Amino acid sequence: MIKQRRALRGALTLAVAAGVAVSALTGTGTSRAGTTPAGAGGAGQAELRRLLNRLTTVDGGPGALVQVRDRDGSTGLTSGVADVESLTPMRGDSLFRIGSMTKPFVATVVLQLVGEHRVALDAPVERYLPGVVRGNDNDGRIVTVRQLLQHTSGIPDYLALLDPQEILKDPLAHHDTRDLVDLALTRPRTFKPGDGWRYSNTNYLLAGMLIEKVTGHTYGQEIRRRVIRPLGLSHTFVPSDTSAIPGPHPRGYARPGPNAPLLDVTAINPSVAGASGSMISSGADLNRFLGALVRGRLLRPAQLRAMMGTRPTGDSGDRAYGLGLESNTLPCRGLYWGHGGDIFGYETTGGATVGGRQATVMVNVDPGGTDAQSDDMKAAVQTALCQDGPASSR
């Protein structure tokens, strides 16, 4: 779930003025290390420590963690605190809201349905959701399922039309998925389907609706049945309306301005994100999921190839987007596959190589870290993935 950060910061400023901020964070940059990350040693571990310390000092995060996994096992490092009032240290097994890291789970379910011949990737969305995508040149008769998953549909992002201040006024309110889709469709399409690339959370709300229409079950039920249970992801959840995080977790914070105190935004109804970003997980579970996904345990070969068929996003750097999965080039050569996610209070990014190594980094502030926060998180993932030397590419 990618938010409109400037607008959100403005809303948070108003919330702080109303007196709902928590005390400012001071002195929380202490690093707490677990055992040496799998396959990492010496300079690699030192660099991971440096990046985690940077995330909880220069970048302004209360706490951060990295979990690393390879064929020999998994372990991690932590820095900072889970709670700025009690100064409880960040735990390596913490659960986070993972925002748009939900999207690879949703795309996996859709592609499994493709492999079962229940969904056709290049069929129009209209076939599965008749009459849903209409208005202002948005037309489900010419938008395909593939285009939803790859953000090439041209359908506007509903988050651009939500008022973050209103969400914060009533963070436990339910948001109906169809209402959020209809809100997006009040705006003209951003381009003709297939002619461009633009990230839109509306695409994945529609993918979730498609799953429900085809299977008769919610996207959450299908993710649990098809992904969570087979992989034994005991710390991964698809909430509906509950604001609780069911396990050890840090408080989630936002910072409305460079010198503003932190705002506790832990409790929120995840229906505002839905299939675009509602899930909860741990670093260890995300590593297990990403490793299983890129190594072919969840999808048939044809569907995995489709997922890994990328197109450039137009962003700076080498990022390319497949079907719910991004590819990036590693500094040690080769590619890694993953996704990022941010939602009120939490930011996550993770990746995996087909050679069998995975890494996930999590920070409990969003928005409000420095502009470098996401870059430092990405650098930590790359550092962890490069410890075995050149990575296998695909």
Side-chain angles (χ1 to χ4, degrees):
M1 179 179 181
I2 293 180
K3 300 178 298 299
Q4 313 305 312
R5 294 192 178 200
R6 290 184 180 177
L8 181 55
R9 284 178 179 170
L12 292 173
T13 300
L14 294 176
V16 170
V20 293
V22 298
S23 58
L25 173 66
T26 57
T28 61
T30 302
S31 177
R32 300 177 67 253
T35 56
T36 303
Q45 186 183 17
E47 179 63 6
L48 280 176
R49 289 178 182 273
R50 186 190 74 80
L51 288 165
L52 285 185
N53 280 330
R54 180 177 172 84
L55 285 166
T56 56
T57 54
V58 176
D59 293 339
L65 66 85
V66 58
Q67 287 286 336
V68 187
R69 180 174 182 264
D70 64 14
R71 294 187 184 93
D72 297 324
S74 61
T75 188
L77 298 170
T78 64
S79 180
V81 299
D83 187 320
V84 301
E85 293 187 335
S86 68
L87 300 184
T88 304
M90 179 68 76
R91 292 175 48 159
D93 61 351
S94 295
L95 276 65
F96 275 60
R97 301 191 190 279
I98 63 171
S100 284
M101 281 288 284
T102 301
K103 290 181 172 69
F105 287 85
V106 172
T108 296
V109 172
V110 173
L111 286 166
Q112 287 183 354
L113 293 171
V114 172
E116 295 164 10
H117 306 290
R118 300 171 70 183
V119 171
L121 263 182
D122 294 310
V125 173
E126 180 78 7
R127 178 182 298 180
Y128 309 103
L129 300 173
V132 171
V133 180
R134 286 286 196 281
N136 295 300
D137 287 330
N138 298 287
D139 191 341
R141 292 168 294 187
I142 60 172
V143 173
T144 68
V145 175
R146 187 191 302 270
Q147 289 165 349
L148 291 183
L149 298 183
Q150 197 157 37
H151 299 297
T152 56
S153 69
I155 295 172
D157 191 346
Y158 77 95
L159 283 178
L161 303 174
L162 280 183
D163 183 350
Q165 185 180 351
E166 293 301 316
I167 297 172
L168 289 174
K169 283 181 180 177
D170 190 4
L172 304 184
H174 171 77
H175 294 264
D176 183 76
T177 296
R178 182 63 186 269
D179 289 344
L180 296 175
V181 169
D182 288 345
L183 177 64
L185 298 177
T186 63
R187 293 294 177 89
R189 69 186 186 192
T190 54
F191 51 80
K192 183 180 177 181
D195 281 0
W197 187 93
R198 187 167 180 176
Y199 196 94
S200 173
N201 291 284
T202 313
N203 289 321
Y204 275 77
L205 295 185
L206 289 164
M209 293 172 66
L210 180 152
I211 290 169
E212 182 167 0
K213 186 73 172 182
V214 171
T215 67
H217 304 123
T218 67
Y219 75 92
Q221 290 172 319
E222 289 297 309
I223 288 173
R224 283 188 286 272
R225 182 172 75 85
R226 294 168 174 271
V227 180
I228 293 175
R229 290 172 189 155
L231 294 182
L233 305 181
S234 58
H235 298 100
T236 299
F237 305 93
V238 191
S240 51
D241 278 311
T242 179
S243 63
I245 298 177
H249 63 277
R251 308 301 297 176
Y253 298 100
R255 192 189 299 277
N259 300 311
L262 290 170
L263 175 68
D264 189 327
V265 291
T266 307
I268 188 168
N269 187 321
S271 64
V272 71
S276 75
S278 69
M279 288 180 65
I280 293 166
S281 192
S282 68
D285 269 14
L286 288 177
N287 284 346
R288 184 178 296 275
F289 164 67
L290 288 172
L293 179 60
V294 303
R295 291 173 66 80
R297 287 186 56 194
L298 293 170
L299 294 175
R300 297 175 184 179
Q303 281 70 59
L304 185 58
R305 286 194 299 271
M307 177 176 261
M308 291 178 165
T310 62
R311 63 171 298 160
T313 64
D315 297 342
S316 58
D318 53 12
R319 176 181 175 227
Y321 205 93
L323 307 186
L325 198 63
E326 298 177 0
S327 71
N328 285 274
T329 302
L330 282 166
C332 54
R333 300 193 305 275
L335 295 177
Y336 72 96
W337 298 90
H339 212 283
D342 60 272
I343 193 169
F344 283 103
Y346 302 92
E347 184 171 0
T348 298
T349 189
T353 69
V354 296
R357 192 170 182 85
Q358 307 97 47
T360 296
V361 178
M362 298 169 139
V363 177
N364 61 329
V365 64
D366 187 82
T370 67
D371 291 340
Q373 177 172 303
S374 295
D375 292 338
D376 286 337
M377 294 177 73
K378 180 177 179 180
V381 168
Q382 292 180 335
T383 297
L385 294 178
C386 279
Q387 292 311 305
D388 288 335
S392 299
S393 63
R394 183 166 184 163

